[in-house]
Amino acid sequence: MMQNEEIKELLEWYIMAGVEEIAGDSPFEAIQKENSAPALSQLTQIRKEISTPSSQPLRKATTELAQAMQNACQSARDICAKAQTLQDLKEVLSGFDGCALKLTASNMVFGEGDEHAKVMFIGEAPGADEDRAGRPFVGRSGQLLDKMIEAVGFKREECYITNVLPWRPPGNRTPTDGEVAVCLPFLKRQIELIQPEYIFLLGASAANALLDIPDPISKLRGRWLEYCINDTQKIKTLASFHPAYLLRNAGQKAKAWVDLLRLKSQMEEDKKA
Ligand code: URA
């Protein structure tokens, strides 16, 4: 019988190895040849069913859903373009009904900090503490973010802190592509209104969404990238690990520290130039 400590160690090992889901009690070969044949024929069958006239309602619903999503994204872009200040943007976001996360969240979490900040920190989405408080990065991840910011000589109030999503996904699940797409115009408009000189992206979700690059954070972090507001306005951007990940993987803090120092030394160099 395993002891609690052993179970904890095993679970931690699984998490480090990237396991996110348990598919069964014992291991099995998921891509064995003999197993793939039934799966393939099942897929073919589903494809056939979808393309038969009897599945027309299903296809109609799928098309309508995709259309609704496109409309919501367009409406988000339209209202964002009209917002001339952060306050305007916050107000239009609170009246925006194009993202269902609003229905399950307790509060909307808009960005906060200096409206003329040089550095903008962007996370994924509010967690439980942020959802309760209606403010970004106020829970355990936020406390670590504050320490990271202070460690390189900034103050939290001098920076601007925000998230890709302004509403908490239930149970902190990973946001869907649709949720990200519909909320992205609000993040992009915050960047346009603040015009930071530097963007520091916290974790893969923020980096993938804003840069539109699907690479893992281990590949994106630590090197200068560019976020283009338009053809002429480009912002120096660094991606690094999310504080929540660093809380679970203290061994990676050194790399995040290197990333923060890279930001600081670039700022000093730019100041001299
Ligand atoms: N994690 C995030 O990405 N954002 C927050 O505001 C809090 C936790």
Side-chain angles (χ1 to χ4, degrees):
M1 185 78 158
M2 284 176 96
Q3 299 302 308
N4 282 349
E5 201 47 40
E6 288 174 303
I7 295 172
K8 189 169 162 263
E9 271 176 26
L10 183 61
L11 285 174
E12 281 171 356
W13 186 86
Y14 278 144
I15 290 166
M16 268 179 60
V19 175
E20 290 175 336
E21 206 171 320
I22 296 179
D25 286 341
S26 48
F28 60 92
E29 179 57 78
I31 47 173
Q32 245 174 21
K33 280 230 165 65
E34 50 274 34
N35 284 346
S36 66
L40 265 181
S41 70
Q42 201 182 356
L43 246 186
T44 317
Q45 183 59 28
I46 291 171
R47 282 218 186 92
K48 246 192 232 155
E49 276 168 19
I50 287 178
S51 56
T52 56
S54 64
S55 71
Q56 253 174 3
L58 177 64
R59 275 188 291 146
K60 188 165 171 270
T62 312
T63 314
E64 279 170 5
L65 195 66
Q67 189 59 53
M69 178 59 70
Q70 271 182 23
N71 294 346
C73 291
Q74 188 55 51
S75 140
R77 283 193 292 270
D78 292 346
I79 59 174
C80 284
K82 286 190 201 128
Q84 293 307 314
T85 64
L86 284 172
Q87 194 51 39
D88 280 354
L89 188 63
K90 189 173 176 178
E91 273 164 31
V92 291
L93 177 59
S94 72
F96 179 67
D97 290 324
C99 179
L101 291 176
K102 184 180 181 180
L103 303 174
T104 48
S106 311
N107 281 299
M108 179 181 96
V109 178
F110 195 70
E112 69 172 29
D114 187 346
E115 298 192 0
H116 306 288
K118 275 193 172 175
V119 190
M120 189 157 172
F121 289 88
I122 304 175
E124 176 181 295
D129 293 314
E130 290 76 18
D131 180 56
R132 257 191 303 275
R135 292 182 52 211
F137 281 100
V138 292
R140 280 189 70 219
S141 296
Q143 284 156 19
L144 179 56
L145 178 62
D146 289 351
K147 283 189 193 146
M148 288 162 66
I149 291 174
E150 282 163 22
V152 280
F154 312 132
K155 289 193 189 108
R156 180 179 166 121
E157 338 51 278
E158 291 167 350
C159 307
Y160 189 86
I161 300 176
T162 192
N163 283 300
V164 177
L165 298 186
W167 295 287
R168 180 191 185 211
N172 295 347
R173 66 158 169 75
T174 304
T176 64
D177 291 348
E179 288 159 357
V180 169
V182 89
C183 293
L184 205 53
F186 295 94
L187 172 64
K188 290 187 170 176
R189 190 68 183 140
Q190 283 176 82
I191 298 174
E192 282 171 13
L193 291 169
I194 292 166
Q195 304 259 341
E197 286 176 40
Y198 310 89
I199 293 176
F200 198 88
L201 298 166
L202 301 160
S205 286
N208 298 156
L210 195 67
L211 301 170
D212 199 17
I213 307 176
D215 291 350
I217 193 67
S218 53
K219 204 165 159 203
L220 288 172
R221 64 152 285 275
R223 60 195 166 93
W224 283 107
L225 301 158
E226 254 177 4
Y227 171 68
C228 303
I229 293 187
N230 52 41
D231 288 346
T232 52
Q233 283 176 290
K234 299 180 190 338
I235 303 177
K236 289 178 184 158
T237 301
L238 262 183
S240 189
F241 295 117
H242 192 286
Y245 172 81
L246 295 174
L247 287 170
R248 298 191 305 267
N249 301 274
Q252 301 284 22
K253 281 187 183 169
K255 289 185 188 154
W257 175 239
V258 169
D259 300 338
L260 286 162
L261 289 181
R262 180 156 295 155
L263 169 67
K264 190 179 159 96
S265 67
Q266 184 68 48
M267 288 177 78
E268 280 166 5
E269 226 174 84
D270 292 346
K271 218 172 170 181
K272 279 189 232 146

